[in-house]
Amino acid sequence: MLIDVGTYLQDIPDEGVSHAVLKRAAEYKIGKILCSGFSPEDWSLVHSLAREAEMIVPFFGIHPWYVDQVSTKWYKQLLHIASMNMGAGIGTIGLDCSKNGGDYEKQKEIFLSQIQIAQQLSRPIAIHCAEAWEDLVVILRDGKAARIRFMIHAYQGSSETLEELLELGAYISFSRKNLLRADPLTLRLVQQIPKDKLLLETGFPYMDSGKVDRGVSFERYFKCLQETYALAAQTTGTEEGDLAKSLWDNSNIYLLGAIPGKSDRC
């Protein structure tokens, strides 16, 4: 079975497309799709998608781009909706020192508070980081995220930072956009990751830019996921079938803390 650990299906303009993805995923041997919210504004949409299809694993969080837009009620709102969804994760959360990020001190405050919620509920977290790797490693190394399973999504840090994160137990995800670049650094980073720590994501419907791509369709989604797996298999020198099995097991350990029984595996 295939798994996509990074989508934002709630942002697809045409609901018919998202419904088609959910309805036809089994035909393409897709077992799980992680769908992440950005802020309280879209959490209800993510929640609705998860109720529509068991394969959707909802993640609820405040992305560092949106910290300046949330009300003081966000903590209670996040705790409530995460508690309602027993299999949900907390994300996408993190730190961003680029021009896209909100007030940086507020980012750190909200990031730490969301980690506390994940600890309280024993949920995995999905982390976004841009130009703030040193602070992120310090937070994780200081034990503020102790006993939390965490993934760095669409990794774009250095080889040295990658080693530090792996030592702390991180799962590392690469996006289709990362892999399509095929630059020497990205290829080395993918090859540097132990096979039991690698994850993959499409970023759908943001496959090629920061905007929802034109021509979004369910056929486009499935093609993007297949391309992502093919690129990763080529980069790691792994057969696609073997890669799919590893990623399925990795995702279950990341999400659940263990691999399900044999009858539940691909």
Side-chain angles (χ1 to χ4, degrees), residues 1 14 20 42 52-53 58 78 100 103 119 121 129 157 159 198 208 213 225 240 258 263:
M1 298 293 283
D14 183 352
D42 67 359
E52 182 178 342
L78 178 55
N100 296 315
D103 178 82
Q119 289 174 320
L121 300 178
C129 186
S159 175
L198 178 65
D208 301 314
D213 290 355
L225 184 58
E240 285 193 45
S263 62

mmCIF file of all heavy atoms in Angstrom, residues 1 14 20 42 52-53 58 78 100 103 119 121 129 157 159 198 208 213 225 240 258 263:
data_model
loop_
_atom_site.group_PDB
_atom_site.id
_atom_site.type_symbol
_atom_site.label_atom_id
_atom_site.label_comp_id
_atom_site.label_asym_id
_atom_site.label_seq_id
_atom_site.Cartn_x
_atom_site.Cartn_y
_atom_site.Cartn_z
ATOM 1 N N MET A 1 0.843 -1.200 0.000
ATOM 2 C CA MET A 1 0.000 0.000 0.000
ATOM 3 C C MET A 1 0.879 1.251 0.000
ATOM 4 O O MET A 1 1.969 1.252 0.563
ATOM 5 C CB MET A 1 -0.900 0.027 1.230
ATOM 6 C CG MET A 1 -1.870 -1.142 1.314
ATOM 7 S SD MET A 1 -3.105 -1.099 0.012
ATOM 8 C CE MET A 1 -4.199 0.161 0.647
ATOM 9 N N ASP A 14 -12.306 22.614 -6.061
ATOM 10 C CA ASP A 14 -13.449 21.812 -6.509
ATOM 11 C C ASP A 14 -13.612 20.624 -5.567
ATOM 12 O O ASP A 14 -12.781 19.710 -5.557
ATOM 13 C CB ASP A 14 -13.207 21.339 -7.943
ATOM 14 C CG ASP A 14 -14.375 20.547 -8.517
ATOM 15 O OD1 ASP A 14 -15.319 20.235 -7.758
ATOM 16 O OD2 ASP A 14 -14.330 20.233 -9.723
ATOM 17 N N ALA A 20 -13.330 12.608 -5.329
ATOM 18 C CA ALA A 20 -12.861 11.591 -6.272
ATOM 19 C C ALA A 20 -11.566 10.954 -5.794
ATOM 20 O O ALA A 20 -11.362 9.748 -5.942
ATOM 21 C CB ALA A 20 -12.668 12.205 -7.659
ATOM 22 N N ASP A 42 -9.262 26.218 8.807
ATOM 23 C CA ASP A 42 -9.505 25.066 7.933
ATOM 24 C C ASP A 42 -9.597 23.740 8.686
ATOM 25 O O ASP A 42 -9.737 22.687 8.067
ATOM 26 C CB ASP A 42 -8.445 24.982 6.828
ATOM 27 C CG ASP A 42 -7.045 24.677 7.335
ATOM 28 O OD1 ASP A 42 -6.856 24.537 8.563
ATOM 29 O OD2 ASP A 42 -6.120 24.580 6.492
ATOM 30 N N GLU A 52 -15.226 11.464 6.221
ATOM 31 C CA GLU A 52 -15.704 10.906 4.955
ATOM 32 C C GLU A 52 -14.956 9.634 4.577
ATOM 33 O O GLU A 52 -15.535 8.730 3.961
ATOM 34 C CB GLU A 52 -15.537 11.949 3.844
ATOM 35 C CG GLU A 52 -16.048 11.484 2.495
ATOM 36 C CD GLU A 52 -15.912 12.561 1.425
ATOM 37 O OE1 GLU A 52 -15.752 13.742 1.779
ATOM 38 O OE2 GLU A 52 -15.967 12.203 0.232
ATOM 39 N N ALA A 53 -13.661 9.552 4.934
ATOM 40 C CA ALA A 53 -12.867 8.400 4.508
ATOM 41 C C ALA A 53 -11.867 8.014 5.590
ATOM 42 O O ALA A 53 -11.114 8.864 6.072
ATOM 43 C CB ALA A 53 -12.123 8.722 3.210
ATOM 44 N N PRO A 58 -6.069 12.914 9.782
ATOM 45 C CA PRO A 58 -6.072 14.370 9.925
ATOM 46 C C PRO A 58 -4.964 14.863 10.849
ATOM 47 O O PRO A 58 -4.649 14.216 11.850
ATOM 48 C CB PRO A 58 -7.448 14.653 10.532
ATOM 49 C CG PRO A 58 -7.741 13.425 11.351
ATOM 50 C CD PRO A 58 -7.130 12.279 10.583
ATOM 51 N N LEU A 78 -7.680 23.805 19.499
ATOM 52 C CA LEU A 78 -6.830 22.725 19.018
ATOM 53 C C LEU A 78 -6.941 21.493 19.913
ATOM 54 O O LEU A 78 -7.055 20.361 19.429
ATOM 55 C CB LEU A 78 -5.367 23.190 18.945
ATOM 56 C CG LEU A 78 -4.351 22.144 18.493
ATOM 57 C CD1 LEU A 78 -4.737 21.544 17.142
ATOM 58 C CD2 LEU A 78 -2.949 22.753 18.423
ATOM 59 N N ASN A 100 8.126 34.529 4.855
ATOM 60 C CA ASN A 100 6.766 34.006 4.947
ATOM 61 C C ASN A 100 6.270 33.859 6.383
ATOM 62 O O ASN A 100 5.067 33.799 6.625
ATOM 63 C CB ASN A 100 6.694 32.636 4.256
ATOM 64 C CG ASN A 100 6.970 32.716 2.780
ATOM 65 O OD1 ASN A 100 6.459 33.583 2.097
ATOM 66 N ND2 ASN A 100 7.809 31.809 2.281
ATOM 67 N N ASP A 103 5.369 36.664 13.320
ATOM 68 C CA ASP A 103 6.221 37.133 14.409
ATOM 69 C C ASP A 103 6.982 35.947 15.022
ATOM 70 O O ASP A 103 6.366 34.973 15.466
ATOM 71 C CB ASP A 103 5.359 37.805 15.475
ATOM 72 C CG ASP A 103 6.179 38.280 16.653
ATOM 73 O OD1 ASP A 103 6.767 39.356 16.573
ATOM 74 O OD2 ASP A 103 6.243 37.517 17.649
ATOM 75 N N GLN A 119 2.121 16.078 23.458
ATOM 76 C CA GLN A 119 2.569 15.250 24.583
ATOM 77 C C GLN A 119 1.389 14.811 25.439
ATOM 78 O O GLN A 119 1.289 13.651 25.845
ATOM 79 C CB GLN A 119 3.586 16.019 25.427
ATOM 80 C CG GLN A 119 4.928 16.200 24.757
ATOM 81 C CD GLN A 119 5.860 17.094 25.555
ATOM 82 O OE1 GLN A 119 5.434 18.105 26.115
ATOM 83 N NE2 GLN A 119 7.128 16.742 25.615
ATOM 84 N N LEU A 121 -1.697 14.393 24.583
ATOM 85 C CA LEU A 121 -2.574 13.461 23.896
ATOM 86 C C LEU A 121 -1.829 12.280 23.281
ATOM 87 O O LEU A 121 -2.445 11.405 22.675
ATOM 88 C CB LEU A 121 -3.346 14.194 22.793
ATOM 89 C CG LEU A 121 -4.247 15.348 23.237
ATOM 90 C CD1 LEU A 121 -4.906 16.004 22.030
ATOM 91 C CD2 LEU A 121 -5.300 14.878 24.231
ATOM 92 N N CYS A 129 10.036 23.673 8.870
ATOM 93 C CA CYS A 129 11.141 24.535 9.319
ATOM 94 C C CYS A 129 11.781 25.192 8.109
ATOM 95 O O CYS A 129 12.051 24.528 7.102
ATOM 96 C CB CYS A 129 12.184 23.734 10.092
ATOM 97 S SG CYS A 129 13.484 24.769 10.829
ATOM 98 N N GLY A 157 17.042 21.234 4.793
ATOM 99 C CA GLY A 157 18.173 21.686 5.592
ATOM 100 C C GLY A 157 19.481 21.114 5.074
ATOM 101 O O GLY A 157 19.567 20.583 3.966
ATOM 102 N N SER A 159 23.128 18.732 5.427
ATOM 103 C CA SER A 159 23.481 17.360 5.771
ATOM 104 C C SER A 159 23.804 17.245 7.256
ATOM 105 O O SER A 159 23.445 16.264 7.910
ATOM 106 C CB SER A 159 24.684 16.912 4.932
ATOM 107 O OG SER A 159 25.115 15.637 5.308
ATOM 108 N N LEU A 198 12.666 7.224 6.382
ATOM 109 C CA LEU A 198 12.262 7.981 5.206
ATOM 110 C C LEU A 198 10.742 7.963 5.031
ATOM 111 O O LEU A 198 10.095 6.935 5.211
ATOM 112 C CB LEU A 198 12.915 7.388 3.953
ATOM 113 C CG LEU A 198 12.572 8.040 2.611
ATOM 114 C CD1 LEU A 198 13.083 9.483 2.559
ATOM 115 C CD2 LEU A 198 13.157 7.221 1.460
ATOM 116 N N ASP A 208 3.752 22.249 -7.444
ATOM 117 C CA ASP A 208 4.840 22.909 -8.151
ATOM 118 C C ASP A 208 5.099 24.345 -7.724
ATOM 119 O O ASP A 208 6.050 24.967 -8.185
ATOM 120 C CB ASP A 208 4.564 22.884 -9.664
ATOM 121 C CG ASP A 208 4.420 21.462 -10.188
ATOM 122 O OD1 ASP A 208 5.258 20.630 -9.821
ATOM 123 O OD2 ASP A 208 3.471 21.192 -10.949
ATOM 124 N N ASP A 213 -2.086 24.465 -7.867
ATOM 125 C CA ASP A 213 -1.741 24.332 -9.271
ATOM 126 C C ASP A 213 -2.988 24.276 -10.159
ATOM 127 O O ASP A 213 -4.035 23.775 -9.745
ATOM 128 C CB ASP A 213 -0.922 23.061 -9.497
ATOM 129 C CG ASP A 213 0.470 23.180 -8.890
ATOM 130 O OD1 ASP A 213 0.802 24.264 -8.388
ATOM 131 O OD2 ASP A 213 1.211 22.183 -8.932
ATOM 132 N N LEU A 225 1.663 11.169 -6.959
ATOM 133 C CA LEU A 225 2.106 10.235 -5.938
ATOM 134 C C LEU A 225 2.979 9.144 -6.547
ATOM 135 O O LEU A 225 4.025 8.781 -5.993
ATOM 136 C CB LEU A 225 0.912 9.623 -5.218
ATOM 137 C CG LEU A 225 1.245 8.689 -4.049
ATOM 138 C CD1 LEU A 225 2.073 9.403 -2.994
ATOM 139 C CD2 LEU A 225 -0.027 8.120 -3.434
ATOM 140 N N GLU A 240 10.721 -0.271 -6.361
ATOM 141 C CA GLU A 240 9.542 0.472 -5.895
ATOM 142 C C GLU A 240 8.693 -0.330 -4.918
ATOM 143 O O GLU A 240 8.161 0.216 -3.950
ATOM 144 C CB GLU A 240 8.693 0.941 -7.080
ATOM 145 C CG GLU A 240 9.295 2.119 -7.817
ATOM 146 C CD GLU A 240 8.321 2.773 -8.778
ATOM 147 O OE1 GLU A 240 7.151 3.003 -8.397
ATOM 148 O OE2 GLU A 240 8.722 3.050 -9.923
ATOM 149 N N ALA A 258 3.902 1.754 16.382
ATOM 150 C CA ALA A 258 4.123 0.328 16.144
ATOM 151 C C ALA A 258 3.565 -0.033 14.783
ATOM 152 O O ALA A 258 2.735 0.674 14.211
ATOM 153 C CB ALA A 258 3.439 -0.515 17.216
ATOM 154 N N SER A 263 -2.332 -8.815 9.363
ATOM 155 C CA SER A 263 -3.550 -8.707 8.540
ATOM 156 C C SER A 263 -3.816 -7.280 8.101
ATOM 157 O O SER A 263 -4.551 -7.040 7.148
ATOM 158 C CB SER A 263 -4.762 -9.218 9.327
ATOM 159 O OG SER A 263 -4.959 -8.430 10.486
#
